[in-house]
């Protein structure tokens, strides 16, 4: 896949790909619960409403009001470009976040290489490529 300019890190960071701030509503649930992604919205006790707060080509930061367990493999369903995608992501670290007096948990999650992410990566790359262009335009305007 040819990546849009600006997606790869060039500053020597330990991360291979640049992260972009996003606000994408999503549903997330542990893969072991074997819930069909098409039916996830019908099971609010299993599939939690979360937000994706940042995204790269290798992972996402999932923000939720209650924590998932470290090491859990999640299925994360989110809309991008008018299409719903469901991907697998392993929780690698958890941070407690406070916002306006409320407590949230940020779950740094790495995508699992699978058919699910292979289907979603072109849309993620296109979305992040568009964000990359907007970031460059804003930086040039300063």
């Amino acid at each position: 896949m040819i990546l849009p300019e600006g997606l790869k890190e060039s500053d020597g960071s330990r991360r291979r790909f640049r992260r972009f701030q996003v606000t994408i509503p999503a549903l997330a649930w542990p893969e072991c619960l074997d819930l069909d992604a098409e039916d996830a919205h019908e099971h609010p006790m299993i599939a939690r409403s979360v937000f994706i707060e940042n995204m790269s080509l290798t992972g996402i930061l999932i923000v939720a009001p209650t924590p998932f367990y470290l090491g859990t493999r999640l299925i994360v369903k989110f809309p991008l470009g008018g299409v719903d995608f469901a991907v697998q992501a392993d929780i690698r670290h958890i941070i407690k976040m406070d916002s306006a007096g409320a407590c949230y948990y940020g779950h740094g999650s790495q995508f699992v290489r699978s058919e699910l992410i292979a289907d979603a990566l072109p849309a993620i790359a296109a979305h992040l490529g568009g964000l990359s262009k907007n970031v460059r335009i804003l930086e040039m305007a300063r």
Side-chain angles (χ1 to χ4, degrees):
M1 169 179 22
I2 297 173
L3 299 176
E5 183 183 334
L7 289 187
K8 280 197 173 195
E9 282 284 23
S10 59
D11 65 359
S13 166
R14 68 180 176 94
R15 291 189 173 95
R16 185 171 169 207
F17 294 101
R18 186 173 182 183
R19 291 176 177 220
F20 291 87
Q21 293 301 121
V22 296
T23 303
I24 300 173
L27 291 174
W29 62 93
E31 180 185 56
C32 64
L33 297 178
D34 201 28
L35 179 64
D36 186 331
E38 296 299 318
D39 300 329
H41 66 282
E42 297 175 11
H43 299 276
M45 297 302 290
I46 298 171
R48 298 186 202 171
S49 291
V50 299
F51 279 92
I52 298 171
E53 190 170 279
N54 75 43
M55 179 179 274
S56 76
L57 290 178
T58 57
I60 52 181
L61 179 67
I62 300 164
V63 177
T66 57
F68 290 100
Y69 290 106
L70 187 64
T72 300
R73 178 162 290 175
L74 297 177
I75 301 294
V76 184
K77 181 180 177 182
F78 58 92
L80 206 55
V83 178
D84 282 342
F85 293 97
V87 300
Q88 297 162 302
D90 290 337
I91 297 175
R92 297 292 183 206
H93 67 272
I94 301 171
I95 56 172
K96 190 173 179 182
M97 310 163 73
D98 292 316
S99 177
C103 178
Y104 295 93
Y105 296 87
H107 303 81
S109 305
Q110 182 179 12
F111 292 135
V112 175
R113 291 183 186 214
S114 68
E115 287 181 31
L116 295 176
I117 193 61
D119 290 343
L121 270 180
I124 292 171
H127 183 73
L128 297 182
L131 293 177
S132 177
K133 289 176 189 168
N134 290 339
V135 168
R136 283 196 306 276
I137 289 168
L138 289 173
E139 287 171 351
M140 288 188 293
R142 290 183 185 174

